[in-house]
Amino acid sequence: MPEIFFTGKNGGTNAFTVILHFNDINQLNGILSLVNEAFDKAYWELKKKS
């Protein structure tokens, strides 16, 4: 699983650091998709609440 850390805020922009752990470069696309989906889901969840 990726490690995701909140690393900064500048106005309305939040910055995150994502550390990926994998043994085979062929896993990279799947892991990146997982991370992108998680951020996308979080964005829309927060957008619904505001």
mmCIF file of all heavy atoms in Angstrom:
data_model
loop_
_atom_site.group_PDB
_atom_site.id
_atom_site.type_symbol
_atom_site.label_atom_id
_atom_site.label_comp_id
_atom_site.label_asym_id
_atom_site.label_seq_id
_atom_site.Cartn_x
_atom_site.Cartn_y
_atom_site.Cartn_z
ATOM 1 N N MET A 1 0.838 -1.185 0.000
ATOM 2 C CA MET A 1 0.000 0.000 0.000
ATOM 3 C C MET A 1 0.883 1.248 0.000
ATOM 4 O O MET A 1 1.911 1.287 0.658
ATOM 5 C CB MET A 1 -0.887 0.018 1.234
ATOM 6 C CG MET A 1 -1.979 -1.050 1.247
ATOM 7 S SD MET A 1 -3.160 -0.936 -0.100
ATOM 8 C CE MET A 1 -3.992 0.562 0.265
ATOM 9 N N PRO A 2 0.449 2.269 -0.716
ATOM 10 C CA PRO A 2 1.197 3.524 -0.716
ATOM 11 C C PRO A 2 1.108 4.204 0.645
ATOM 12 O O PRO A 2 0.134 4.062 1.372
ATOM 13 C CB PRO A 2 0.485 4.374 -1.763
ATOM 14 C CG PRO A 2 -0.398 3.456 -2.514
ATOM 15 C CD PRO A 2 -0.665 2.282 -1.649
ATOM 16 N N GLU A 3 2.150 4.969 0.984
ATOM 17 C CA GLU A 3 2.134 5.816 2.173
ATOM 18 C C GLU A 3 1.843 7.226 1.690
ATOM 19 O O GLU A 3 2.523 7.726 0.804
ATOM 20 C CB GLU A 3 3.478 5.777 2.879
ATOM 21 C CG GLU A 3 3.861 4.422 3.420
ATOM 22 C CD GLU A 3 5.233 4.460 4.059
ATOM 23 O OE1 GLU A 3 5.417 5.210 5.035
ATOM 24 O OE2 GLU A 3 6.114 3.759 3.544
ATOM 25 N N ILE A 4 0.829 7.865 2.260
ATOM 26 C CA ILE A 4 0.435 9.205 1.831
ATOM 27 C C ILE A 4 0.527 10.139 3.030
ATOM 28 O O ILE A 4 -0.039 9.866 4.087
ATOM 29 C CB ILE A 4 -0.988 9.200 1.241
ATOM 30 C CG1 ILE A 4 -1.064 8.225 0.053
ATOM 31 C CG2 ILE A 4 -1.398 10.608 0.832
ATOM 32 C CD1 ILE A 4 -2.452 8.008 -0.502
ATOM 33 N N PHE A 5 1.258 11.242 2.844
ATOM 34 C CA PHE A 5 1.472 12.212 3.908
ATOM 35 C C PHE A 5 1.052 13.601 3.442
ATOM 36 O O PHE A 5 1.358 13.997 2.317
ATOM 37 C CB PHE A 5 2.953 12.264 4.304
ATOM 38 C CG PHE A 5 3.504 10.960 4.764
ATOM 39 C CD1 PHE A 5 4.167 10.121 3.885
ATOM 40 C CD2 PHE A 5 3.357 10.560 6.077
ATOM 41 C CE1 PHE A 5 4.682 8.912 4.298
ATOM 42 C CE2 PHE A 5 3.874 9.350 6.510
ATOM 43 C CZ PHE A 5 4.535 8.523 5.618
ATOM 44 N N PHE A 6 0.370 14.319 4.300
ATOM 45 C CA PHE A 6 0.072 15.728 4.046
ATOM 46 C C PHE A 6 1.358 16.491 4.320
ATOM 47 O O PHE A 6 1.910 16.416 5.415
ATOM 48 C CB PHE A 6 -1.057 16.199 4.969
ATOM 49 C CG PHE A 6 -1.376 17.651 4.817
ATOM 50 C CD1 PHE A 6 -2.066 18.102 3.707
ATOM 51 C CD2 PHE A 6 -1.001 18.558 5.780
ATOM 52 C CE1 PHE A 6 -2.371 19.453 3.558
ATOM 53 C CE2 PHE A 6 -1.300 19.901 5.649
ATOM 54 C CZ PHE A 6 -1.990 20.344 4.535
ATOM 55 N N THR A 7 1.845 17.240 3.332
ATOM 56 C CA THR A 7 3.144 17.887 3.506
ATOM 57 C C THR A 7 3.112 19.404 3.427
ATOM 58 O O THR A 7 4.134 20.038 3.661
ATOM 59 C CB THR A 7 4.154 17.352 2.474
ATOM 60 O OG1 THR A 7 3.603 17.452 1.167
ATOM 61 C CG2 THR A 7 4.512 15.908 2.764
ATOM 62 N N GLY A 8 1.967 19.993 3.087
ATOM 63 C CA GLY A 8 1.949 21.441 3.069
ATOM 64 C C GLY A 8 0.636 22.018 2.589
ATOM 65 O O GLY A 8 -0.181 21.341 1.977
ATOM 66 N N LYS A 9 0.454 23.310 2.892
ATOM 67 C CA LYS A 9 -0.744 24.026 2.477
ATOM 68 C C LYS A 9 -0.314 25.431 2.080
ATOM 69 O O LYS A 9 0.450 26.073 2.775
ATOM 70 C CB LYS A 9 -1.751 24.073 3.615
ATOM 71 C CG LYS A 9 -3.042 24.768 3.251
ATOM 72 C CD LYS A 9 -4.070 24.556 4.339
ATOM 73 C CE LYS A 9 -5.398 25.176 4.004
ATOM 74 N NZ LYS A 9 -6.039 24.615 2.836
ATOM 75 N N ASN A 10 -0.815 25.888 0.945
ATOM 76 C CA ASN A 10 -0.523 27.234 0.473
ATOM 77 C C ASN A 10 -1.834 27.801 -0.070
ATOM 78 O O ASN A 10 -2.226 27.484 -1.192
ATOM 79 C CB ASN A 10 0.559 27.201 -0.606
ATOM 80 C CG ASN A 10 0.966 28.580 -1.049
ATOM 81 O OD1 ASN A 10 0.527 29.576 -0.489
ATOM 82 N ND2 ASN A 10 1.799 28.648 -2.070
ATOM 83 N N GLY A 11 -2.524 28.577 0.737
ATOM 84 C CA GLY A 11 -3.833 29.085 0.333
ATOM 85 C C GLY A 11 -4.819 27.935 0.219
ATOM 86 O O GLY A 11 -5.036 27.181 1.147
ATOM 87 N N GLY A 12 -5.404 27.767 -0.971
ATOM 88 C CA GLY A 12 -6.360 26.686 -1.194
ATOM 89 C C GLY A 12 -5.730 25.429 -1.744
ATOM 90 O O GLY A 12 -6.423 24.484 -2.098
ATOM 91 N N THR A 13 -4.406 25.410 -1.820
ATOM 92 C CA THR A 13 -3.704 24.256 -2.388
ATOM 93 C C THR A 13 -3.086 23.418 -1.281
ATOM 94 O O THR A 13 -2.350 23.930 -0.440
ATOM 95 C CB THR A 13 -2.590 24.725 -3.356
ATOM 96 O OG1 THR A 13 -3.169 25.528 -4.372
ATOM 97 C CG2 THR A 13 -1.866 23.543 -3.971
ATOM 98 N N ASN A 14 -3.402 22.137 -1.290
ATOM 99 C CA ASN A 14 -2.802 21.190 -0.348
ATOM 100 C C ASN A 14 -1.791 20.336 -1.085
ATOM 101 O O ASN A 14 -2.029 19.932 -2.221
ATOM 102 C CB ASN A 14 -3.875 20.297 0.276
ATOM 103 C CG ASN A 14 -4.856 21.071 1.116
ATOM 104 O OD1 ASN A 14 -4.494 22.019 1.788
ATOM 105 N ND2 ASN A 14 -6.106 20.692 1.077
ATOM 106 N N ALA A 15 -0.681 20.055 -0.433
ATOM 107 C CA ALA A 15 0.357 19.218 -1.040
ATOM 108 C C ALA A 15 0.491 17.917 -0.247
ATOM 109 O O ALA A 15 0.460 17.919 0.982
ATOM 110 C CB ALA A 15 1.693 19.954 -1.065
ATOM 111 N N PHE A 16 0.634 16.840 -0.986
ATOM 112 C CA PHE A 16 0.790 15.524 -0.380
ATOM 113 C C PHE A 16 2.033 14.854 -0.960
ATOM 114 O O PHE A 16 2.369 15.062 -2.121
ATOM 115 C CB PHE A 16 -0.426 14.638 -0.676
ATOM 116 C CG PHE A 16 -1.686 15.130 -0.032
ATOM 117 C CD1 PHE A 16 -2.483 16.076 -0.664
ATOM 118 C CD2 PHE A 16 -2.067 14.651 1.202
ATOM 119 C CE1 PHE A 16 -3.647 16.535 -0.079
ATOM 120 C CE2 PHE A 16 -3.240 15.111 1.798
ATOM 121 C CZ PHE A 16 -4.024 16.057 1.154
ATOM 122 N N THR A 17 2.686 14.045 -0.158
ATOM 123 C CA THR A 17 3.782 13.205 -0.615
ATOM 124 C C THR A 17 3.304 11.766 -0.588
ATOM 125 O O THR A 17 2.725 11.322 0.407
ATOM 126 C CB THR A 17 5.015 13.358 0.302
ATOM 127 O OG1 THR A 17 5.446 14.729 0.253
ATOM 128 C CG2 THR A 17 6.147 12.446 -0.128
ATOM 129 N N VAL A 18 3.527 11.064 -1.686
ATOM 130 C CA VAL A 18 3.116 9.662 -1.786
ATOM 131 C C VAL A 18 4.365 8.815 -1.985
ATOM 132 O O VAL A 18 5.143 9.061 -2.903
ATOM 133 C CB VAL A 18 2.138 9.452 -2.965
ATOM 134 C CG1 VAL A 18 1.742 7.994 -3.075
ATOM 135 C CG2 VAL A 18 0.922 10.345 -2.817
ATOM 136 N N ILE A 19 4.570 7.855 -1.109
ATOM 137 C CA ILE A 19 5.698 6.927 -1.218
ATOM 138 C C ILE A 19 5.149 5.580 -1.662
ATOM 139 O O ILE A 19 4.266 5.014 -1.012
ATOM 140 C CB ILE A 19 6.452 6.788 0.125
ATOM 141 C CG1 ILE A 19 6.986 8.161 0.547
ATOM 142 C CG2 ILE A 19 7.578 5.765 0.000
ATOM 143 C CD1 ILE A 19 7.598 8.172 1.933
ATOM 144 N N LEU A 20 5.663 5.107 -2.781
ATOM 145 C CA LEU A 20 5.199 3.847 -3.358
ATOM 146 C C LEU A 20 6.216 2.748 -3.089
ATOM 147 O O LEU A 20 7.414 2.955 -3.252
ATOM 148 C CB LEU A 20 5.000 3.996 -4.869
ATOM 149 C CG LEU A 20 4.083 5.123 -5.323
ATOM 150 C CD1 LEU A 20 4.098 5.235 -6.830
ATOM 151 C CD2 LEU A 20 2.680 4.902 -4.805
ATOM 152 N N HIS A 21 5.727 1.591 -2.701
ATOM 153 C CA HIS A 21 6.569 0.420 -2.474
ATOM 154 C C HIS A 21 6.141 -0.667 -3.451
ATOM 155 O O HIS A 21 4.977 -1.047 -3.471
ATOM 156 C CB HIS A 21 6.406 -0.103 -1.042
ATOM 157 C CG HIS A 21 6.768 0.904 0.006
ATOM 158 N ND1 HIS A 21 8.061 1.107 0.407
ATOM 159 C CD2 HIS A 21 5.997 1.760 0.710
ATOM 160 C CE1 HIS A 21 8.079 2.047 1.332
ATOM 161 N NE2 HIS A 21 6.841 2.468 1.531
ATOM 162 N N PHE A 22 7.060 -1.123 -4.281
ATOM 163 C CA PHE A 22 6.743 -2.209 -5.205
ATOM 164 C C PHE A 22 8.020 -2.927 -5.593
ATOM 165 O O PHE A 22 9.121 -2.371 -5.512
ATOM 166 C CB PHE A 22 5.981 -1.706 -6.438
ATOM 167 C CG PHE A 22 6.666 -0.599 -7.189
ATOM 168 C CD1 PHE A 22 7.484 -0.879 -8.262
ATOM 169 C CD2 PHE A 22 6.476 0.713 -6.823
ATOM 170 C CE1 PHE A 22 8.112 0.139 -8.966
ATOM 171 C CE2 PHE A 22 7.098 1.742 -7.516
ATOM 172 C CZ PHE A 22 7.915 1.451 -8.592
ATOM 173 N N ASN A 23 7.885 -4.180 -5.996
ATOM 174 C CA ASN A 23 9.029 -5.010 -6.356
ATOM 175 C C ASN A 23 9.232 -5.127 -7.858
ATOM 176 O O ASN A 23 10.308 -5.485 -8.304
ATOM 177 C CB ASN A 23 8.863 -6.424 -5.774
ATOM 178 C CG ASN A 23 8.863 -6.393 -4.264
ATOM 179 O OD1 ASN A 23 9.611 -5.648 -3.658
ATOM 180 N ND2 ASN A 23 8.000 -7.194 -3.663
ATOM 181 N N ASP A 24 8.193 -4.840 -8.606
ATOM 182 C CA ASP A 24 8.236 -5.038 -10.052
ATOM 183 C C ASP A 24 7.700 -3.784 -10.729
ATOM 184 O O ASP A 24 6.590 -3.333 -10.422
ATOM 185 C CB ASP A 24 7.365 -6.256 -10.402
ATOM 186 C CG ASP A 24 7.355 -6.601 -11.871
ATOM 187 O OD1 ASP A 24 7.967 -5.871 -12.677
ATOM 188 O OD2 ASP A 24 6.721 -7.613 -12.214
ATOM 189 N N ILE A 25 8.452 -3.203 -11.633
ATOM 190 C CA ILE A 25 8.046 -1.972 -12.316
ATOM 191 C C ILE A 25 6.705 -2.144 -13.029
ATOM 192 O O ILE A 25 5.970 -1.176 -13.219
ATOM 193 C CB ILE A 25 9.146 -1.495 -13.291
ATOM 194 C CG1 ILE A 25 8.880 -0.058 -13.772
ATOM 195 C CG2 ILE A 25 9.267 -2.428 -14.474
ATOM 196 C CD1 ILE A 25 9.047 0.981 -12.717
ATOM 197 N N ASN A 26 6.347 -3.362 -13.358
ATOM 198 C CA ASN A 26 5.058 -3.618 -14.011
ATOM 199 C C ASN A 26 3.878 -3.337 -13.078
ATOM 200 O O ASN A 26 2.748 -3.221 -13.531
ATOM 201 C CB ASN A 26 4.988 -5.047 -14.535
ATOM 202 C CG ASN A 26 5.970 -5.277 -15.663
ATOM 203 O OD1 ASN A 26 6.150 -4.427 -16.533
ATOM 204 N ND2 ASN A 26 6.637 -6.418 -15.634
ATOM 205 N N GLN A 27 4.129 -3.230 -11.783
ATOM 206 C CA GLN A 27 3.080 -2.909 -10.806
ATOM 207 C C GLN A 27 2.796 -1.413 -10.744
ATOM 208 O O GLN A 27 1.778 -0.995 -10.192
ATOM 209 C CB GLN A 27 3.505 -3.373 -9.407
ATOM 210 C CG GLN A 27 3.678 -4.859 -9.252
ATOM 211 C CD GLN A 27 4.240 -5.200 -7.882
ATOM 212 O OE1 GLN A 27 5.188 -4.568 -7.412
ATOM 213 N NE2 GLN A 27 3.635 -6.195 -7.248
ATOM 214 N N LEU A 28 3.677 -0.595 -11.311
ATOM 215 C CA LEU A 28 3.588 0.851 -11.137
ATOM 216 C C LEU A 28 2.261 1.431 -11.629
ATOM 217 O O LEU A 28 1.631 2.215 -10.921
ATOM 218 C CB LEU A 28 4.759 1.546 -11.826
ATOM 219 C CG LEU A 28 4.826 3.064 -11.657
ATOM 220 C CD1 LEU A 28 4.895 3.443 -10.190
ATOM 221 C CD2 LEU A 28 6.023 3.621 -12.412
ATOM 222 N N ASN A 29 1.822 1.081 -12.812
ATOM 223 C CA ASN A 29 0.570 1.647 -13.333
ATOM 224 C C ASN A 29 -0.617 1.340 -12.432
ATOM 225 O O ASN A 29 -1.465 2.198 -12.199
ATOM 226 C CB ASN A 29 0.305 1.158 -14.758
ATOM 227 C CG ASN A 29 1.179 1.850 -15.770
ATOM 228 O OD1 ASN A 29 1.716 2.916 -15.517
ATOM 229 N ND2 ASN A 29 1.328 1.233 -16.926
ATOM 230 N N GLY A 30 -0.701 0.124 -11.933
ATOM 231 C CA GLY A 30 -1.798 -0.245 -11.041
ATOM 232 C C GLY A 30 -1.762 0.539 -9.741
ATOM 233 O O GLY A 30 -2.800 0.994 -9.245
ATOM 234 N N ILE A 31 -0.579 0.720 -9.201
ATOM 235 C CA ILE A 31 -0.434 1.471 -7.950
ATOM 236 C C ILE A 31 -0.783 2.939 -8.171
ATOM 237 O O ILE A 31 -1.490 3.552 -7.359
ATOM 238 C CB ILE A 31 0.995 1.322 -7.385
ATOM 239 C CG1 ILE A 31 1.239 -0.127 -6.962
ATOM 240 C CG2 ILE A 31 1.211 2.262 -6.204
ATOM 241 C CD1 ILE A 31 2.681 -0.448 -6.628
ATOM 242 N N LEU A 32 -0.325 3.515 -9.280
ATOM 243 C CA LEU A 32 -0.642 4.912 -9.575
ATOM 244 C C LEU A 32 -2.147 5.094 -9.772
ATOM 245 O O LEU A 32 -2.720 6.104 -9.344
ATOM 246 C CB LEU A 32 0.119 5.394 -10.812
ATOM 247 C CG LEU A 32 1.616 5.568 -10.628
ATOM 248 C CD1 LEU A 32 2.263 5.961 -11.945
ATOM 249 C CD2 LEU A 32 1.931 6.590 -9.542
ATOM 250 N N SER A 33 -2.797 4.133 -10.383
ATOM 251 C CA SER A 33 -4.251 4.196 -10.548
ATOM 252 C C SER A 33 -4.948 4.185 -9.193
ATOM 253 O O SER A 33 -5.894 4.943 -8.962
ATOM 254 C CB SER A 33 -4.748 3.034 -11.399
ATOM 255 O OG SER A 33 -4.344 3.193 -12.725
ATOM 256 N N LEU A 34 -4.469 3.354 -8.290
ATOM 257 C CA LEU A 34 -5.027 3.279 -6.943
ATOM 258 C C LEU A 34 -4.907 4.628 -6.231
ATOM 259 O O LEU A 34 -5.863 5.120 -5.636
ATOM 260 C CB LEU A 34 -4.306 2.188 -6.143
ATOM 261 C CG LEU A 34 -4.725 1.995 -4.706
ATOM 262 C CD1 LEU A 34 -6.050 1.255 -4.649
ATOM 263 C CD2 LEU A 34 -3.660 1.226 -3.957
ATOM 264 N N VAL A 35 -3.743 5.242 -6.322
ATOM 265 C CA VAL A 35 -3.514 6.539 -5.679
ATOM 266 C C VAL A 35 -4.414 7.603 -6.308
ATOM 267 O O VAL A 35 -5.059 8.384 -5.602
ATOM 268 C CB VAL A 35 -2.022 6.940 -5.770
ATOM 269 C CG1 VAL A 35 -1.809 8.371 -5.324
ATOM 270 C CG2 VAL A 35 -1.162 5.984 -4.955
ATOM 271 N N ASN A 36 -4.465 7.647 -7.631
ATOM 272 C CA ASN A 36 -5.301 8.642 -8.318
ATOM 273 C C ASN A 36 -6.766 8.477 -7.967
ATOM 274 O O ASN A 36 -7.479 9.463 -7.742
ATOM 275 C CB ASN A 36 -5.100 8.557 -9.833
ATOM 276 C CG ASN A 36 -3.785 9.142 -10.263
ATOM 277 O OD1 ASN A 36 -3.237 10.025 -9.607
ATOM 278 N ND2 ASN A 36 -3.265 8.654 -11.373
ATOM 279 N N GLU A 37 -7.237 7.253 -7.898
ATOM 280 C CA GLU A 37 -8.639 6.996 -7.539
ATOM 281 C C GLU A 37 -8.923 7.454 -6.111
ATOM 282 O O GLU A 37 -9.995 8.006 -5.841
ATOM 283 C CB GLU A 37 -8.965 5.511 -7.685
ATOM 284 C CG GLU A 37 -9.047 5.050 -9.124
ATOM 285 C CD GLU A 37 -9.163 3.533 -9.256
ATOM 286 O OE1 GLU A 37 -9.490 2.851 -8.258
ATOM 287 O OE2 GLU A 37 -8.915 3.046 -10.368
ATOM 288 N N ALA A 38 -7.972 7.227 -5.199
ATOM 289 C CA ALA A 38 -8.165 7.632 -3.806
ATOM 290 C C ALA A 38 -8.260 9.157 -3.691
ATOM 291 O O ALA A 38 -9.129 9.680 -2.989
ATOM 292 C CB ALA A 38 -7.023 7.103 -2.944
ATOM 293 N N PHE A 39 -7.385 9.881 -4.383
ATOM 294 C CA PHE A 39 -7.437 11.340 -4.342
ATOM 295 C C PHE A 39 -8.703 11.861 -5.011
ATOM 296 O O PHE A 39 -9.319 12.804 -4.536
ATOM 297 C CB PHE A 39 -6.188 11.947 -4.996
ATOM 298 C CG PHE A 39 -5.024 12.052 -4.051
ATOM 299 C CD1 PHE A 39 -3.985 11.145 -4.114
ATOM 300 C CD2 PHE A 39 -4.961 13.056 -3.101
ATOM 301 C CE1 PHE A 39 -2.910 11.230 -3.250
ATOM 302 C CE2 PHE A 39 -3.885 13.160 -2.224
ATOM 303 C CZ PHE A 39 -2.860 12.236 -2.297
ATOM 304 N N ASP A 40 -9.089 11.254 -6.115
ATOM 305 C CA ASP A 40 -10.305 11.662 -6.818
ATOM 306 C C ASP A 40 -11.535 11.459 -5.925
ATOM 307 O O ASP A 40 -12.390 12.339 -5.807
ATOM 308 C CB ASP A 40 -10.444 10.868 -8.117
ATOM 309 C CG ASP A 40 -11.521 11.418 -9.024
ATOM 310 O OD1 ASP A 40 -11.471 12.626 -9.331
ATOM 311 O OD2 ASP A 40 -12.406 10.644 -9.428
ATOM 312 N N LYS A 41 -11.604 10.312 -5.278
ATOM 313 C CA LYS A 41 -12.728 10.017 -4.382
ATOM 314 C C LYS A 41 -12.761 11.012 -3.221
ATOM 315 O O LYS A 41 -13.828 11.537 -2.875
ATOM 316 C CB LYS A 41 -12.623 8.584 -3.851
ATOM 317 C CG LYS A 41 -13.760 8.202 -2.946
ATOM 318 C CD LYS A 41 -13.642 6.775 -2.473
ATOM 319 C CE LYS A 41 -14.774 6.452 -1.500
ATOM 320 N NZ LYS A 41 -14.671 5.136 -0.939
ATOM 321 N N ALA A 42 -11.613 11.289 -2.630
ATOM 322 C CA ALA A 42 -11.544 12.234 -1.507
ATOM 323 C C ALA A 42 -11.986 13.625 -1.953
ATOM 324 O O ALA A 42 -12.723 14.312 -1.237
ATOM 325 C CB ALA A 42 -10.132 12.278 -0.940
ATOM 326 N N TYR A 43 -11.554 14.048 -3.130
ATOM 327 C CA TYR A 43 -11.935 15.357 -3.655
ATOM 328 C C TYR A 43 -13.449 15.479 -3.782
ATOM 329 O O TYR A 43 -14.051 16.445 -3.310
ATOM 330 C CB TYR A 43 -11.278 15.598 -5.017
ATOM 331 C CG TYR A 43 -11.783 16.837 -5.702
ATOM 332 C CD1 TYR A 43 -11.288 18.087 -5.361
ATOM 333 C CD2 TYR A 43 -12.793 16.761 -6.670
ATOM 334 C CE1 TYR A 43 -11.764 19.236 -5.969
ATOM 335 C CE2 TYR A 43 -13.277 17.907 -7.286
ATOM 336 C CZ TYR A 43 -12.759 19.138 -6.936
ATOM 337 O OH TYR A 43 -13.242 20.266 -7.544
ATOM 338 N N TRP A 44 -14.080 14.493 -4.414
ATOM 339 C CA TRP A 44 -15.521 14.570 -4.646
ATOM 340 C C TRP A 44 -16.316 14.415 -3.356
ATOM 341 O O TRP A 44 -17.388 15.002 -3.209
ATOM 342 C CB TRP A 44 -15.952 13.569 -5.711
ATOM 343 C CG TRP A 44 -15.489 14.011 -7.059
ATOM 344 C CD1 TRP A 44 -14.518 13.448 -7.819
ATOM 345 C CD2 TRP A 44 -15.944 15.162 -7.781
ATOM 346 N NE1 TRP A 44 -14.338 14.171 -8.980
ATOM 347 C CE2 TRP A 44 -15.204 15.224 -8.981
ATOM 348 C CE3 TRP A 44 -16.900 16.145 -7.542
ATOM 349 C CZ2 TRP A 44 -15.396 16.235 -9.915
ATOM 350 C CZ3 TRP A 44 -17.090 17.144 -8.483
ATOM 351 C CH2 TRP A 44 -16.345 17.179 -9.646
ATOM 352 N N GLU A 45 -15.802 13.646 -2.401
ATOM 353 C CA GLU A 45 -16.474 13.527 -1.101
ATOM 354 C C GLU A 45 -16.500 14.889 -0.410
ATOM 355 O O GLU A 45 -17.513 15.302 0.139
ATOM 356 C CB GLU A 45 -15.750 12.507 -0.212
ATOM 357 C CG GLU A 45 -15.863 11.081 -0.679
ATOM 358 C CD GLU A 45 -17.165 10.423 -0.267
ATOM 359 O OE1 GLU A 45 -17.700 10.765 0.808
ATOM 360 O OE2 GLU A 45 -17.649 9.583 -1.023
ATOM 361 N N LEU A 46 -15.363 15.583 -0.428
ATOM 362 C CA LEU A 46 -15.285 16.903 0.206
ATOM 363 C C LEU A 46 -16.109 17.931 -0.570
ATOM 364 O O LEU A 46 -16.727 18.819 0.020
ATOM 365 C CB LEU A 46 -13.834 17.365 0.332
ATOM 366 C CG LEU A 46 -13.002 16.583 1.342
ATOM 367 C CD1 LEU A 46 -11.546 16.955 1.241
ATOM 368 C CD2 LEU A 46 -13.524 16.832 2.738
ATOM 369 N N LYS A 47 -16.106 17.829 -1.868
ATOM 370 C CA LYS A 47 -16.857 18.760 -2.715
ATOM 371 C C LYS A 47 -18.357 18.664 -2.422
ATOM 372 O O LYS A 47 -19.055 19.678 -2.397
ATOM 373 C CB LYS A 47 -16.575 18.436 -4.183
ATOM 374 C CG LYS A 47 -17.131 19.386 -5.159
ATOM 375 C CD LYS A 47 -16.158 20.480 -5.422
ATOM 376 C CE LYS A 47 -16.633 21.288 -6.611
ATOM 377 N NZ LYS A 47 -16.134 22.619 -6.557
ATOM 378 N N LYS A 48 -18.853 17.444 -2.181
ATOM 379 C CA LYS A 48 -20.262 17.243 -1.865
ATOM 380 C C LYS A 48 -20.641 17.914 -0.550
ATOM 381 O O LYS A 48 -21.765 18.361 -0.374
ATOM 382 C CB LYS A 48 -20.602 15.755 -1.772
ATOM 383 C CG LYS A 48 -20.751 15.064 -3.092
ATOM 384 C CD LYS A 48 -21.398 13.710 -2.927
ATOM 385 C CE LYS A 48 -20.363 12.680 -2.573
ATOM 386 N NZ LYS A 48 -20.891 11.318 -2.530
ATOM 387 N N LYS A 49 -19.706 17.952 0.391
ATOM 388 C CA LYS A 49 -19.989 18.485 1.726
ATOM 389 C C LYS A 49 -19.923 20.007 1.775
ATOM 390 O O LYS A 49 -20.389 20.605 2.723
ATOM 391 C CB LYS A 49 -19.020 17.894 2.747
ATOM 392 C CG LYS A 49 -19.230 16.414 2.950
ATOM 393 C CD LYS A 49 -18.275 15.851 3.959
ATOM 394 C CE LYS A 49 -18.521 14.356 4.079
ATOM 395 N NZ LYS A 49 -17.707 13.749 5.101
ATOM 396 N N SER A 50 -19.326 20.631 0.771
ATOM 397 C CA SER A 50 -19.193 22.090 0.816
ATOM 398 C C SER A 50 -20.251 22.794 0.010
ATOM 399 O O SER A 50 -21.071 22.266 -0.638
ATOM 400 C CB SER A 50 -17.829 22.519 0.315
ATOM 401 O OG SER A 50 -17.575 22.073 -0.991
#
